[in-house]
Amino acid sequence: MKSILFSALFFFVALSMKAAGPEYTNADNQLITQLLNDAKKMPKNTNWTLHFAKKFLGRPYVAHTLDNNEYERLVLNTRQLDCTTFVETVVALSLCAKNGKTSFADYCAYLTKIRYSGGKVAYTHRNHYFTSWIEENTKNGVAHEIQSINAPFSATQTVKANFMSTHVSAYTMLNRHREWLNDIVRQEKAITGKKYRYIPKNAVNSSKAMRDAVHDGDIIAIVTNKKGLEIAHLGIAVWKNDGLHMIDASSLQKKVVEESITMAQYLQRHPSHLGIRVVRLR
């Protein structure tokens, strides 16, 4: 009898670990709720992505905050951000504000929708590659990528994604659960070979064509030539008198910043950066 009870308890605990709820602190809950309640008082035509991006200036840069659990959980960490979690936080807040949602539960629902394919909280459903993120959020009506045959979109990227499957040891959860690898390979194959127009870095300037192509609050996805990857970094677009800048969670400056240098200067400083893809919320 005891062995049966122990087995049942073990099964319940194991199941609970795999189906654990969201991970957050009271500080996360309070901040999100405050930001959304404050947003109710603002004009409906507010540029929400730019507005919320600026609310996180100075927050510490910390990588891999989604990968500290045994099994996947919806991690809501507004205290420590990397470039992807920063953009996702801003997008989820923007969707709430745009649709008049003010609760922490609403925020959790939107974050789940944008982070995971099919809204299923699972490591193998997380949009690990930003191209997958774009495709999934285009399907669910959240965002769309600006694709044009006209200048300044004068370059084409052919995606070749295999970095995760060829660097498994660099991913803590995947390295621990290699049974998930086949699903990751399928995600890579789903985007490999697809072609996307982008703005090459020698065309990133202050021209009218650029200002028409990239709007304040757009998501900037930096195209890379690093083998196995398609996107190296993310940020939120902001125009100034001297040109296009971005707000990003900077691994170099160890915090969320509004870059003091222009996007053109930023790209030139990184030889592996080829240009930018542009994503806009609907």
Side-chain angles (χ1 to χ4, degrees):
M1 184 67 175
K2 287 183 179 180
S3 62
I4 294 175
L5 289 172
F6 180 81
S7 297
L9 179 61
F10 179 82
F11 175 77
F12 177 78
V13 171
L15 185 63
S16 297
M17 288 176 63
K18 294 185 180 183
E23 176 181 295
Y24 59 91
T25 66
N26 286 336
D28 297 314
N29 189 328
Q30 290 169 6
L31 176 63
I32 294 300
T33 303
Q34 178 185 334
L35 288 173
L36 292 178
N37 281 318
D38 290 346
K40 287 194 301 183
K41 306 167 189 174
M42 300 185 64
K44 293 187 180 298
N45 64 348
T46 297
N47 187 317
W48 293 116
T49 48
L50 194 54
H51 167 76
F52 286 121
K54 291 183 177 182
K55 294 296 182 181
F56 292 93
L57 290 172
R59 294 274 165 157
Y61 174 94
V62 179
H64 312 302
T65 58
L66 305 186
D67 299 319
N68 295 323
N69 297 303
E70 177 67 21
Y71 293 97
E72 188 78 1
R73 298 179 66 181
L74 178 66
V75 175
L76 304 101
N77 187 341
T78 62
R79 296 153 285 110
Q80 302 166 316
L81 300 165
D82 63 24
C83 70
T84 301
T85 58
F86 166 65
V87 166
E88 288 186 333
T89 298
V90 168
V91 170
L93 283 165
S94 299
L95 292 171
C96 284
K98 180 181 177 182
N99 292 290
K101 304 297 184 180
T102 58
S103 75
F104 187 67
D106 292 324
Y107 172 81
C108 291
Y110 276 120
L111 188 61
T112 301
K113 181 177 182 178
I114 64 175
R115 181 174 290 169
Y116 298 99
S117 64
K120 181 179 179 180
V121 179
Y123 188 87
T124 54
H125 280 246
R126 197 196 307 170
N127 298 312
H128 294 281
Y129 291 87
F130 198 66
T131 294
S132 301
W133 193 100
I134 296 170
E135 289 197 345
E136 288 297 324
N137 285 291
T138 298
K139 289 178 187 175
N140 66 30
V142 166
H144 67 286
E145 182 169 5
I146 308 302
Q147 292 285 278
S148 173
I149 60 173
N150 301 317
F153 293 90
S154 56
T156 301
Q157 178 185 39
T158 302
V159 173
K160 296 178 181 178
N162 63 12
F163 191 87
M164 288 186 71
S165 61
T166 55
H167 297 79
V168 175
S169 61
Y171 296 87
T172 304
M173 291 177 72
L174 182 58
N175 192 40
R176 190 181 298 136
H177 293 279
R178 295 202 170 219
E179 68 272 18
W180 298 342
L181 183 56
N182 287 340
D183 288 311
I184 297 302
V185 171
R186 277 192 285 273
Q187 188 176 130
E188 293 172 339
K189 287 183 177 179
I191 58 174
T192 293
K194 293 188 175 182
K195 298 179 184 296
Y196 299 91
R197 302 285 290 183
Y198 71 95
I199 304 172
K201 61 183 176 183
N202 61 7
V204 176
N205 52 39
S206 294
S207 67
K208 182 180 184 303
M210 264 296 297
R211 289 179 180 268
D212 288 342
V214 184
H215 298 174
D216 280 338
D218 283 349
I219 300 170
I220 293 173
I222 296 179
V223 178
T224 182
N225 63 10
K226 188 171 183 177
K227 187 175 181 181
L229 286 177
E230 87 290 26
I231 300 298
H233 190 54
L234 305 174
I236 302 296
V238 54
W239 281 99
K240 296 184 178 182
N241 289 337
D242 64 342
L244 179 64
H245 292 246
M246 72 172 171
I247 302 173
D248 65 319
S250 170
S251 61
L252 297 176
Q253 301 185 59
K254 303 301 181 185
K255 60 184 177 180
V256 177
V257 298
E258 186 170 323
E259 297 287 351
S260 59
I261 59 175
T262 66
M263 196 74 240
Q265 292 168 329
Y266 185 95
L267 293 169
Q268 292 299 334
R269 289 186 180 186
H270 298 81
S272 63
H273 292 354
L274 303 181
I276 60 173
R277 289 166 63 180
V278 182
V279 180
R280 187 169 300 153
L281 296 194
R282 292 192 182 277

